[in-house]
Amino acid sequence: MRSKLALLHIDFATRVAELSHCVRQQNACVLTSMDGERVLAFGYNGTWRGGPNTCTGPDEPGKCECIHAEVNALIKSRSQEDFTAFVTTSPCVNCARCLINSGCKVVYCGKAYRLTEGVALLQGAGVEVSFG
């Protein structure tokens, strides 16, 4: 994928994250075709559809009750093709599992999540992971 398109999509993900009402951390995920020419879906972390636009869990690491951005993007995507994911923060291990099972081949991360198991899982499954 051309670097200008990669920058465009990670910038878009950063803007999408601003839609989140999560108090702890606003995250987003943008799914694109492998060549980056088409946006397939995007999502940000938050509560269930129609739920309150406020955090429902405690303000403690690992206790947030938000649906993660990657899962929200995957729910919206109807694509059956391989894809690239642009995430504001590297995926947790559960989101990494979902991305792998859905056909993700490349993940661009804006920054690293405090736990690294998700990145290790992605790489172990042959998914290319980049930071920047």
mmCIF file of all heavy atoms in Angstrom, residues 2 4 6 13 16 19 21 25 27 41 45 48 54-55 57-58 62 64 70 86 89 97 115 117 120 122 124 128 132:
data_model
loop_
_atom_site.group_PDB
_atom_site.id
_atom_site.type_symbol
_atom_site.label_atom_id
_atom_site.label_comp_id
_atom_site.label_asym_id
_atom_site.label_seq_id
_atom_site.Cartn_x
_atom_site.Cartn_y
_atom_site.Cartn_z
ATOM 1 N N ARG A 2 0.501 2.228 -0.746
ATOM 2 C CA ARG A 2 1.272 3.475 -0.782
ATOM 3 C C ARG A 2 1.253 4.143 0.587
ATOM 4 O O ARG A 2 0.234 4.145 1.285
ATOM 5 C CB ARG A 2 0.683 4.420 -1.827
ATOM 6 C CG ARG A 2 0.815 3.889 -3.236
ATOM 7 C CD ARG A 2 0.418 4.929 -4.266
ATOM 8 N NE ARG A 2 -0.704 5.740 -3.849
ATOM 9 C CZ ARG A 2 -1.867 5.794 -4.488
ATOM 10 N NH1 ARG A 2 -2.065 5.070 -5.543
ATOM 11 N NH2 ARG A 2 -2.827 6.571 -4.057
ATOM 12 N N LYS A 4 1.217 7.229 1.419
ATOM 13 C CA LYS A 4 0.256 8.334 1.567
ATOM 14 C C LYS A 4 -1.129 7.814 1.939
ATOM 15 O O LYS A 4 -1.836 8.422 2.734
ATOM 16 C CB LYS A 4 0.182 9.161 0.279
ATOM 17 C CG LYS A 4 1.364 10.065 0.082
ATOM 18 C CD LYS A 4 1.164 10.952 -1.118
ATOM 19 C CE LYS A 4 2.324 11.909 -1.262
ATOM 20 N NZ LYS A 4 2.123 12.858 -2.351
ATOM 21 N N ALA A 6 -1.695 4.972 3.577
ATOM 22 C CA ALA A 6 -1.581 4.488 4.956
ATOM 23 C C ALA A 6 -1.711 5.660 5.934
ATOM 24 O O ALA A 6 -2.415 5.565 6.943
ATOM 25 C CB ALA A 6 -0.268 3.751 5.162
ATOM 26 N N ALA A 13 -8.557 7.169 11.240
ATOM 27 C CA ALA A 13 -8.813 6.423 12.471
ATOM 28 C C ALA A 13 -8.685 7.332 13.692
ATOM 29 O O ALA A 13 -9.496 7.257 14.626
ATOM 30 C CB ALA A 13 -7.859 5.231 12.581
ATOM 31 N N VAL A 16 -11.831 9.321 13.852
ATOM 32 C CA VAL A 16 -12.959 8.479 14.251
ATOM 33 C C VAL A 16 -12.928 8.231 15.762
ATOM 34 O O VAL A 16 -13.969 8.221 16.423
ATOM 35 C CB VAL A 16 -12.962 7.142 13.471
ATOM 36 C CG1 VAL A 16 -13.970 6.163 14.054
ATOM 37 C CG2 VAL A 16 -13.255 7.391 11.990
ATOM 38 N N LEU A 19 -14.980 10.199 18.251
ATOM 39 C CA LEU A 19 -16.411 9.936 18.419
ATOM 40 C C LEU A 19 -16.703 9.132 19.680
ATOM 41 O O LEU A 19 -17.833 9.111 20.161
ATOM 42 C CB LEU A 19 -16.961 9.185 17.198
ATOM 43 C CG LEU A 19 -16.871 9.919 15.863
ATOM 44 C CD1 LEU A 19 -17.264 8.980 14.727
ATOM 45 C CD2 LEU A 19 -17.726 11.163 15.872
ATOM 46 N N HIS A 21 -16.977 7.957 23.487
ATOM 47 C CA HIS A 21 -17.272 8.629 24.758
ATOM 48 C C HIS A 21 -16.554 7.953 25.921
ATOM 49 O O HIS A 21 -16.825 8.261 27.076
ATOM 50 C CB HIS A 21 -18.785 8.637 25.020
ATOM 51 C CG HIS A 21 -19.534 9.501 24.072
ATOM 52 N ND1 HIS A 21 -19.657 10.855 24.237
ATOM 53 C CD2 HIS A 21 -20.186 9.196 22.929
ATOM 54 C CE1 HIS A 21 -20.360 11.363 23.237
ATOM 55 N NE2 HIS A 21 -20.694 10.369 22.432
ATOM 56 N N GLN A 25 -9.914 5.759 27.371
ATOM 57 C CA GLN A 25 -9.117 5.820 26.147
ATOM 58 C C GLN A 25 -10.032 5.746 24.933
ATOM 59 O O GLN A 25 -10.847 4.844 24.823
ATOM 60 C CB GLN A 25 -8.131 4.649 26.126
ATOM 61 C CG GLN A 25 -7.140 4.723 25.016
ATOM 62 C CD GLN A 25 -6.052 3.654 25.177
ATOM 63 O OE1 GLN A 25 -5.918 3.025 26.214
ATOM 64 N NE2 GLN A 25 -5.284 3.464 24.139
ATOM 65 N N ASN A 27 -10.456 4.924 21.140
ATOM 66 C CA ASN A 27 -9.790 4.130 20.110
ATOM 67 C C ASN A 27 -10.687 3.983 18.894
ATOM 68 O O ASN A 27 -11.916 4.047 19.011
ATOM 69 C CB ASN A 27 -9.443 2.737 20.640
ATOM 70 C CG ASN A 27 -8.332 2.783 21.656
ATOM 71 O OD1 ASN A 27 -7.292 3.369 21.404
ATOM 72 N ND2 ASN A 27 -8.546 2.180 22.808
ATOM 73 N N ALA A 41 -15.098 -0.531 6.399
ATOM 74 C CA ALA A 41 -15.871 -0.238 7.609
ATOM 75 C C ALA A 41 -14.969 0.492 8.591
ATOM 76 O O ALA A 41 -13.746 0.488 8.450
ATOM 77 C CB ALA A 41 -16.406 -1.511 8.243
ATOM 78 N N ASN A 45 -14.526 2.531 20.023
ATOM 79 C CA ASN A 45 -14.943 1.853 21.249
ATOM 80 C C ASN A 45 -16.103 2.600 21.898
ATOM 81 O O ASN A 45 -16.137 3.823 21.916
ATOM 82 C CB ASN A 45 -13.768 1.664 22.213
ATOM 83 C CG ASN A 45 -13.103 2.962 22.626
ATOM 84 O OD1 ASN A 45 -12.974 3.898 21.847
ATOM 85 N ND2 ASN A 45 -12.658 3.027 23.862
ATOM 86 N N TRP A 48 -23.088 -0.536 23.671
ATOM 87 C CA TRP A 48 -23.931 -1.170 22.683
ATOM 88 C C TRP A 48 -24.805 -0.141 21.968
ATOM 89 O O TRP A 48 -25.036 0.948 22.483
ATOM 90 C CB TRP A 48 -24.794 -2.242 23.357
ATOM 91 C CG TRP A 48 -25.653 -1.683 24.449
ATOM 92 C CD1 TRP A 48 -26.955 -1.295 24.353
ATOM 93 C CD2 TRP A 48 -25.265 -1.405 25.797
ATOM 94 N NE1 TRP A 48 -27.406 -0.801 25.549
ATOM 95 C CE2 TRP A 48 -26.382 -0.860 26.460
ATOM 96 C CE3 TRP A 48 -24.073 -1.562 26.514
ATOM 97 C CZ2 TRP A 48 -26.348 -0.475 27.798
ATOM 98 C CZ3 TRP A 48 -24.053 -1.178 27.847
ATOM 99 C CH2 TRP A 48 -25.168 -0.649 28.473
ATOM 100 N N THR A 54 -21.773 6.897 27.614
ATOM 101 C CA THR A 54 -20.931 7.098 28.783
ATOM 102 C C THR A 54 -20.355 5.749 29.189
ATOM 103 O O THR A 54 -20.938 4.708 28.883
ATOM 104 C CB THR A 54 -21.730 7.721 29.949
ATOM 105 O OG1 THR A 54 -20.879 7.894 31.065
ATOM 106 C CG2 THR A 54 -22.920 6.890 30.332
ATOM 107 N N CYS A 55 -19.234 5.754 29.852
ATOM 108 C CA CYS A 55 -18.640 4.503 30.324
ATOM 109 C C CYS A 55 -19.530 3.888 31.391
ATOM 110 O O CYS A 55 -20.046 4.587 32.260
ATOM 111 C CB CYS A 55 -17.243 4.749 30.887
ATOM 112 S SG CYS A 55 -16.032 5.077 29.601
ATOM 113 N N GLY A 57 -18.407 0.968 33.057
ATOM 114 C CA GLY A 57 -17.530 0.217 33.951
ATOM 115 C C GLY A 57 -16.629 1.139 34.743
ATOM 116 O O GLY A 57 -16.616 2.358 34.542
ATOM 117 N N PRO A 58 -15.842 0.571 35.644
ATOM 118 C CA PRO A 58 -14.925 1.384 36.447
ATOM 119 C C PRO A 58 -13.780 1.940 35.608
ATOM 120 O O PRO A 58 -13.426 1.378 34.571
ATOM 121 C CB PRO A 58 -14.417 0.398 37.499
ATOM 122 C CG PRO A 58 -14.614 -0.950 36.907
ATOM 123 C CD PRO A 58 -15.791 -0.849 35.984
ATOM 124 N N GLY A 62 -8.283 -2.666 32.107
ATOM 125 C CA GLY A 62 -8.825 -4.007 31.975
ATOM 126 C C GLY A 62 -10.248 -4.180 32.443
ATOM 127 O O GLY A 62 -10.806 -5.275 32.358
ATOM 128 N N CYS A 64 -12.848 -1.839 31.568
ATOM 129 C CA CYS A 64 -13.755 -1.069 30.723
ATOM 130 C C CYS A 64 -14.776 -2.019 30.108
ATOM 131 O O CYS A 64 -14.431 -3.127 29.699
ATOM 132 C CB CYS A 64 -12.957 -0.362 29.625
ATOM 133 S SG CYS A 64 -13.991 0.606 28.519
ATOM 134 N N GLU A 70 -12.110 -2.494 17.162
ATOM 135 C CA GLU A 70 -11.919 -3.525 16.140
ATOM 136 C C GLU A 70 -13.182 -4.364 15.969
ATOM 137 O O GLU A 70 -13.602 -4.652 14.842
ATOM 138 C CB GLU A 70 -10.745 -4.445 16.510
ATOM 139 C CG GLU A 70 -9.407 -3.750 16.598
ATOM 140 C CD GLU A 70 -9.076 -3.195 17.977
ATOM 141 O OE1 GLU A 70 -10.004 -2.982 18.802
ATOM 142 O OE2 GLU A 70 -7.889 -2.976 18.244
ATOM 143 N N PHE A 86 -6.391 -0.401 10.275
ATOM 144 C CA PHE A 86 -5.674 0.754 10.817
ATOM 145 C C PHE A 86 -6.272 1.023 12.189
ATOM 146 O O PHE A 86 -7.470 1.300 12.292
ATOM 147 C CB PHE A 86 -5.855 1.972 9.905
ATOM 148 C CG PHE A 86 -5.221 1.794 8.566
ATOM 149 C CD1 PHE A 86 -5.903 1.165 7.541
ATOM 150 C CD2 PHE A 86 -3.927 2.237 8.342
ATOM 151 C CE1 PHE A 86 -5.306 0.981 6.302
ATOM 152 C CE2 PHE A 86 -3.321 2.056 7.114
ATOM 153 C CZ PHE A 86 -4.011 1.423 6.090
ATOM 154 N N THR A 89 -4.627 2.241 18.504
ATOM 155 C CA THR A 89 -3.831 1.557 19.518
ATOM 156 C C THR A 89 -3.761 0.079 19.139
ATOM 157 O O THR A 89 -4.771 -0.493 18.714
ATOM 158 C CB THR A 89 -4.479 1.706 20.910
ATOM 159 O OG1 THR A 89 -4.650 3.097 21.193
ATOM 160 C CG2 THR A 89 -3.619 1.087 21.995
ATOM 161 N N ARG A 97 -7.462 -11.916 17.875
ATOM 162 C CA ARG A 97 -8.107 -13.160 17.457
ATOM 163 C C ARG A 97 -9.212 -12.898 16.442
ATOM 164 O O ARG A 97 -9.347 -13.595 15.437
ATOM 165 C CB ARG A 97 -8.692 -13.889 18.665
ATOM 166 C CG ARG A 97 -7.675 -14.462 19.601
ATOM 167 C CD ARG A 97 -8.355 -15.099 20.805
ATOM 168 N NE ARG A 97 -7.365 -15.582 21.748
ATOM 169 C CZ ARG A 97 -7.448 -15.409 23.053
ATOM 170 N NH1 ARG A 97 -8.482 -14.778 23.592
ATOM 171 N NH2 ARG A 97 -6.510 -15.886 23.843
ATOM 172 N N LEU A 115 -0.391 -3.902 26.877
ATOM 173 C CA LEU A 115 -0.170 -5.343 26.817
ATOM 174 C C LEU A 115 0.193 -5.724 25.390
ATOM 175 O O LEU A 115 -0.440 -5.259 24.442
ATOM 176 C CB LEU A 115 -1.423 -6.104 27.266
ATOM 177 C CG LEU A 115 -1.956 -5.764 28.667
ATOM 178 C CD1 LEU A 115 -3.255 -6.496 28.947
ATOM 179 C CD2 LEU A 115 -0.905 -6.106 29.725
ATOM 180 N N GLU A 117 0.449 -8.967 24.045
ATOM 181 C CA GLU A 117 0.054 -10.296 23.588
ATOM 182 C C GLU A 117 -0.687 -10.272 22.258
ATOM 183 O O GLU A 117 -0.554 -11.183 21.441
ATOM 184 C CB GLU A 117 -0.819 -11.006 24.638
ATOM 185 C CG GLU A 117 -0.091 -11.395 25.891
ATOM 186 C CD GLU A 117 -0.115 -10.306 26.958
ATOM 187 O OE1 GLU A 117 -0.485 -9.152 26.645
ATOM 188 O OE2 GLU A 117 0.233 -10.600 28.107
ATOM 189 N N ALA A 120 1.823 -9.973 19.431
ATOM 190 C CA ALA A 120 2.542 -11.242 19.292
ATOM 191 C C ALA A 120 1.671 -12.292 18.603
ATOM 192 O O ALA A 120 2.153 -13.044 17.742
ATOM 193 C CB ALA A 120 3.004 -11.734 20.665
ATOM 194 N N LEU A 122 -0.874 -11.723 16.498
ATOM 195 C CA LEU A 122 -0.988 -11.338 15.090
ATOM 196 C C LEU A 122 0.244 -11.770 14.310
ATOM 197 O O LEU A 122 0.146 -12.400 13.245
ATOM 198 C CB LEU A 122 -1.180 -9.821 14.957
ATOM 199 C CG LEU A 122 -2.533 -9.264 15.403
ATOM 200 C CD1 LEU A 122 -2.457 -7.753 15.553
ATOM 201 C CD2 LEU A 122 -3.634 -9.655 14.427
ATOM 202 N N GLY A 124 2.485 -13.998 15.064
ATOM 203 C CA GLY A 124 2.591 -15.454 15.024
ATOM 204 C C GLY A 124 1.668 -16.097 14.003
ATOM 205 O O GLY A 124 1.939 -17.183 13.496
ATOM 206 N N GLU A 128 1.090 -9.028 9.196
ATOM 207 C CA GLU A 128 2.117 -7.976 9.242
ATOM 208 C C GLU A 128 1.640 -6.868 10.165
ATOM 209 O O GLU A 128 0.513 -6.382 10.027
ATOM 210 C CB GLU A 128 2.354 -7.430 7.835
ATOM 211 C CG GLU A 128 3.382 -6.334 7.751
ATOM 212 C CD GLU A 128 3.472 -5.747 6.353
ATOM 213 O OE1 GLU A 128 3.226 -6.476 5.370
ATOM 214 O OE2 GLU A 128 3.755 -4.545 6.253
ATOM 215 N N GLY A 132 3.541 3.400 13.822
ATOM 216 C CA GLY A 132 4.005 4.664 13.273
ATOM 217 C C GLY A 132 3.002 5.717 13.208
ATOM 218 O O GLY A 132 2.008 5.921 13.562
#
